[in-house]
Amino acid sequence: MVTSTQHSELRTQNWQPANGTPEWLYEELKQLLPAGRILHRPIDLIAFASDASFYRLIPQAIVFPRTIKEVAALFRYSQRRRFPITFRSAGTSLSGQAVTDGILVETKRYWQGLTIEADGLKVRVQPGVIGAQANLMLLPYRTKIGPDPASIQACTLGGILSNNSSGMCCGVAQNAYHTLDSLTFVLPSGTTIDTADPEADLQFQEQEPKLATGLLELRQRILANEALTQRIRAKYRMKNTTGYALNALIDFERPIDIFSHLLIGSEGTLAFIAEAVLNTVPVLPHKYTGLLIFPDLYAACGAIVPFRDAGAKALELMDRASLRSVEDKPGMPPYLKTLPPDAAGLLVEFQEAETAAIPAMKAAAESTVAALELLVPAEFTEDKLRQKQLWDIRGGMYPSIGAIRQSGTSAIIEDVAFPIDHLADAAVDLTKLFQKHGYDNAILYGHAKDGNLHFVITQSFNDQAAIDQYARLIDDVVELVVKKYEGALKAEHGTGRNMAPFVEAEWGGEALDIMRQLKALADPDHLLNPGVIVNADPQAHLKDLKSTPTIEAIADKCIECGYCEHVCPSRDLTLTPRQRIVVRREMIRQQQLHSGNSPLLRELQRDYPYLGMDTCAGDGMCATACPVTINTGELMRQFQHRKNPSLAEAIAHQVACHFAPIESATRLGLRVGHLVQDRLGSGVMVGVTGLIRKVIGPQFPQWSPEIPRPADPLPITNPSTAQAIYLSSCMTRMCGHIPGEPSDRSLQAALVAIADRAHFPLHIPPNVHGTCCGLAFEAKGFEAAQTTSANQTVHQCWEWTHQGQFPIVMDASACSQFLRHARPLLTTENQRKFDQLTIFDSVDFIHDKLLANLQINRKIPSVVIHPMCSLFEMGLQPKLDAIAKAFADETVIPAGAGCCGFAGDRGFFFPELTAAATYHEAQDLAGQNYAAYVSSNRMCEVGMTRATGKIYRSYIHLLEEATR
């Protein structure tokens, strides 16, 4: 057998990452795909060298096929050149399945097709569809996909299928294997089969006779071995993803059915799954949830079978160390801090589909609890907020370890499964192993209903002693799980590189030989994701380990899980937050290895400013998805600050101190620009600004037809009757209506009118001209200017509100979010003032203070809402939707909605960022017409107008018109 290491030696003799993709390889790949869909620069290769695991391999090229035809062409190329390829989608795999030193084939960007079929009973998906997105589309049908992995908000169906993922409630019965209806696959030979075709089995046997015949021979070999047959049946009664799904060889008779189910859990080593149809499962909306605290693990495990038999859908076991890891987090029950050292928790949830079943559900829970000895009285709840808080206890454990891990270490999560009858003993034995090997901060938790335990440790791979420590632990874990308890080394994360050397230890020589033959039948040259699942190297799990150099504190705790990527505006343009951090770590690694004298470091430093910094929207959405709440935009702003010349910093500070002239000049510039556009056409302004940008670079803004006209003068308000101060943002004071926008009032006039009608009048201070909260300077890394602006604004607000007697209302959600979090920028005196201010975003203010007192006189049929990133981060999306429902019969939030990437004014300087960020949202709306399109930030409205060709307005205009 040719190992992945041997392949690497065959093709990398003279290749260095600093040179990027070998020229010959790049030229040959361009014969298969357009150059724009081949990443070849050193920074690209480094960015894709890591997945969520603790392994790292640098690919020699990254390609983005769009079609099955292109995938087949890549396979043919791989066969001809004997060049390994690996498929990757979200890269959230935890065992090294999505890294390679060959060609990495990315299947997320262009493989996001999703179709609901059979009235929600089936769903057709491509590998790039995120699991949570599939469930969102199925929600109206009250169904969902069966697998429910913890990473469902980020992982894709490609990974879910390839790893046979399960999760909290999925168990064995509802995993990908058992809910598979059909799939379309492409073999390394290029053969493509849709198993839903009535002639699929015949096609398979005719086009791949050796594979089809070989599968039947392997099936007979297993069936002739009664002991092995029974072992397979027994092992798949519990969660088990170690090795290939040998149960397919006894569950099915037709070669096509055998192979299609072998692909589930095959980790991309046998074929490419281009599309799958899954049978869905019912959504059970009525839930009854409780956290039970037991004296010890034995007592907690003793309750598992009674709760399971009573109908509990989820049983999550947590040892004392895992509870301790989250006890200091906001919203945690106070009693967690008082628990004795042996205590254990069990998070229990009952679920039902119909209201009529609720009494029986409650009775089952309460009767089961009555027979238990608990340290804390059981408290079950139907309240959704309280349920979320309880699940946050369970969900916060892996992130909490990642957040507190020592710098330079990796957070490693492994999963094993035991027979439930031995779960308590096995759990105690695992904790003893942690102590034996010096993992004092390890935690243990898991899906107890299925006997599935996860353990999380922090581990350095920066020296041989640390690697040896890990090797000893894994050896003992294998001994414990397999030999002592007849368990599974991998329950739901896939075999990967980490457990490939131990497949024989779990399955035995006969089963391993069958797996090897299976691999050889489907992939004779071992070119498809080599080294994963089947690997002849007993030390493979200790090679290609990822070192974790210490970087800036704000991002050092990143565990490279990739959860951030699906919300990043630049994900399809340049780098994602994870990749920005991965590349930064490589820079530090190169500095440490070569004292800064590294060709690769120079290449990274050359490309990082644009790919990492300039095209980072800095919107903070990554922090909302990150398990350890890292805002990578803050790191990019730190870098931008270091990059800024001292003269630029000084000029920015002067602008902050004297912002009023800038405000006036901007309005003048907009007036002149629109005069030219109105008389000579938009093409002239676009062309002129484009020429200037070619001369001086992207520092000069690019004109586009939807740039707003200059804002109207602010309305005059009466301070004596006002109940709140209206701080209109500098952007809305400068930028008025988008050309063609149907409105006869300025934004400020509309909000003042609404407030008057609701008997909550506003006052706009006459000296508001020249006030900027500081957000405009933050994005560019001008720290002194940002601090000055924030302090000036807070002082002004203090004066305007008569020392905090009145609330402040702001009309741009980005600015209100920034000012709400500006306290660290303030002087001690201004912090005191800030603490006495009440700052409302307009959405908050209208929903909470005005809406109930407004008379809706006319409604529009429909409205599309773009819920901008700041609104999402403030948790105000539901309130904006509620306001929109007041003036529209139908409200629509596109499935692909996210940050528009305009990032204040960045969309003027890097329009490609906005184009990439809005692509999916615009596609969702293509070919459809709605009565109106709204958001809550002027620049977001500009960006969405540019992306869709539909005029986006402030929701305030629509509400004002509805209440006239």
Side-chain angles (χ1 to χ4, degrees), residues 33 57-58 92 116 227 231 270 275 306 340 399 455 505 556 583 687 713 783 810 818 832 861 870 909 952 955:
L33 299 173
L57 287 166
I58 301 175
T92 57
I116 308 300
R231 180 169 176 76
L270 300 179
E275 185 177 77
F455 63 85
D556 190 54
V583 173
E783 294 181 358
M810 302 186 71
F818 175 83
R832 182 187 65 80
S870 296
F909 298 93
Y952 275 72
Y955 74 98

Side-chain angles (χ1 to χ4, degrees), residues 473-524:
L473 172 69
I474 292 301
D475 286 344
D476 278 358
V477 167
V478 171
E479 183 80 14
L480 176 74
V481 173
V482 173
K483 295 187 178 179
K484 185 171 183 179
Y485 289 111
E486 282 287 323
L489 289 170
K490 301 295 285 188
E492 58 183 5
H493 292 171
T495 309
R497 300 175 187 279
N498 198 31
M499 287 299 166
F502 305 105
V503 172
E504 182 174 10
E506 176 166 337
W507 277 105
E510 176 79 359
L512 176 62
D513 186 61
I514 290 171
M515 293 182 191
R516 285 175 172 163
Q517 289 193 41
L518 170 63
K519 170 69 172 174
L521 285 168
D523 180 24

Side-chain angles (χ1 to χ4, degrees), residues 50-54 87-99 108 127 129-131 149-160 163 165 398 413 492-494 546 559-566 578 625 627:
S50 298
D51 61 6
S53 74
F54 47 97
F87 292 92
R88 167 173 170 157
S89 189
T92 57
S93 53
L94 294 162
S95 299
Q97 302 98 314
V99 293
K108 183 179 181 183
V129 174
I130 293 174
S151 59
I152 196 167
Q153 295 294 332
C155 69
T156 62
L157 267 298
I160 289 172
N163 291 293
S165 302
Y398 177 41
I413 180 171
E492 58 183 5
H493 292 171
K546 183 195 299 180
I559 53 180
E560 299 181 10
C561 63
Y563 285 19
C564 57
E565 294 191 327
H566 73 285
R578 168 169 62 176

Side-chain angles (χ1 to χ4, degrees), residues 46-100:
I46 295 299
F48 279 90
S50 298
D51 61 6
S53 74
F54 47 97
Y55 294 96
R56 179 176 178 272
L57 287 166
I58 301 175
Q60 295 200 46
I62 302 102
V63 295
F64 296 79
R66 284 180 179 267
T67 65
I68 287 177
K69 183 178 179 180
E70 290 179 341
V71 170
L74 287 168
F75 269 134
R76 287 193 295 271
Y77 179 78
S78 167
Q79 299 292 310
R80 186 175 77 252
R81 273 294 195 174
R82 293 187 57 78
F83 211 97
I85 60 175
T86 292
F87 292 92
R88 167 173 170 157
S89 189
T92 57
S93 53
L94 294 162
S95 299
Q97 302 98 314
V99 293
T100 181

Side-chain angles (χ1 to χ4, degrees), residues 900-912:
C900 70
F902 214 90
D905 63 358
R906 191 158 300 194
F908 295 133
F909 298 93
F910 302 99
E912 67 272 26

Side-chain angles (χ1 to χ4, degrees), residues 759-953:
H759 311 295
F760 205 111
L762 300 174
H763 174 54
I764 301 177
N767 61 338
V768 71
H769 185 61
T771 303
C772 173
C773 66
L775 177 61
F777 300 103
E778 180 200 44
K780 297 175 174 60
F782 293 130
E783 294 181 358
Q786 169 191 352
T787 300
T788 295
S789 293
N791 277 279
Q792 289 176 343
T793 300
V794 168
H795 175 73
Q796 286 284 66
C797 289
W798 176 254
E799 296 291 332
W800 292 331
T801 62
H802 299 287
Q803 293 77 50
Q805 293 183 36
F806 300 101
I808 292 283
V809 179
M810 302 186 71
D811 57 17
S813 295
C815 296
S816 55
Q817 185 206 22
F818 175 83
L819 196 58
R820 283 179 172 184
H821 295 89
R823 193 179 192 280
L825 301 173
L826 305 177
T827 64
T828 302
E829 176 61 19
N830 279 334
Q831 285 183 347
R832 182 187 65 80
K833 296 174 182 177
F834 178 87
D835 291 341
Q836 297 180 61
L837 295 177
T838 301
I839 301 171
F840 279 108
D841 181 72
S842 64
V843 173
D844 255 337
F845 175 68
I846 291 175
H847 182 275
D848 296 351
K849 301 293 185 182
L850 307 186
L851 196 58
N853 296 321
L854 290 172
Q855 176 67 45
I856 304 296
N857 297 315
R858 56 176 179 168
K859 298 181 75 170
I860 59 175
S862 58
V863 62
V864 173
I865 301 171
H866 170 69
M868 65 160 303
C869 51
S870 296
L871 203 71
F872 179 86
E873 292 166 37
M874 291 188 288
L876 298 182
Q877 281 182 295
K879 290 186 177 181
L880 178 57
D881 189 51
I883 295 169
K885 281 181 166 62
F887 61 74
D889 294 323
E890 178 190 10
T891 62
V892 176
I893 299 178
C899 174
C900 70
F902 214 90
D905 63 358
R906 191 158 300 194
F908 295 133
F909 298 93
F910 302 99
E912 67 272 26
L913 174 60
T914 299
T918 56
Y919 175 80
H920 294 289
E921 190 170 355
Q923 287 295 109
D924 289 342
L925 297 173
Q928 305 179 65
N929 286 298
Y930 296 92
Y933 301 78
V934 300
S935 190
S936 62
N937 209 76
R938 180 79 292 193
M939 290 301 100
C940 297
E941 292 148 20
V942 172
M944 290 308 303
T945 299
R946 179 188 293 176
T948 64
K950 306 291 186 180
I951 293 179
Y952 275 72
R953 311 168 62 193

Side-chain angles (χ1 to χ4, degrees), residues 604-774:
L604 300 180
Q605 290 173 333
R606 183 193 67 186
D607 290 331
Y608 199 73
Y610 174 75
L611 299 178
M613 296 156 56
D614 293 342
T615 53
C616 172
D619 59 351
M621 288 295 287
C622 48
T624 68
C626 174
V628 290
T629 64
I630 295 170
N631 183 344
T632 312
E634 293 184 18
L635 177 63
M636 296 304 106
R637 285 191 286 273
Q638 285 185 14
F639 292 159
Q640 185 67 52
H641 174 65
R642 297 177 197 172
K643 175 185 168 186
N644 289 334
S646 57
L647 178 59
E649 290 281 348
I651 293 172
H653 186 256
Q654 286 302 308
V655 169
C657 294
H658 308 286
F659 195 75
I662 300 300
E663 192 174 319
S664 299
T666 300
R667 282 197 296 270
L668 177 61
L670 290 172
R671 184 170 291 108
V672 171
H674 277 285
L675 281 173
V676 174
Q677 178 167 290
D678 291 344
R679 295 187 180 185
L680 302 178
S682 62
V684 173
M685 282 299 297
V686 171
V688 169
T689 55
L691 286 173
I692 296 174
R693 284 167 61 85
K694 286 183 179 179
V695 175
I696 70 172
Q699 295 82 9
F700 192 85
Q702 174 67 58
W703 183 273
S704 58
E706 66 285 336
I707 285 180
R709 298 182 183 277
D712 295 335
L714 296 174
I716 298 173
T717 56
N718 185 355
S720 63
T721 60
Q723 297 184 40
I725 300 300
Y726 178 9
L727 171 55
S728 182
S729 76
C730 62
M731 192 62 74
T732 54
R733 296 196 308 269
M734 293 184 288
C735 298
H737 299 311
I738 294 172
E741 182 176 347
S743 183
D744 58 356
R745 295 190 179 190
S746 68
L747 174 65
Q748 295 88 347
L751 183 51
V752 167
I754 293 170
D756 284 342
R757 291 169 195 162
H759 311 295
F760 205 111
L762 300 174
H763 174 54
I764 301 177
N767 61 338
V768 71
H769 185 61
T771 303
C772 173
C773 66

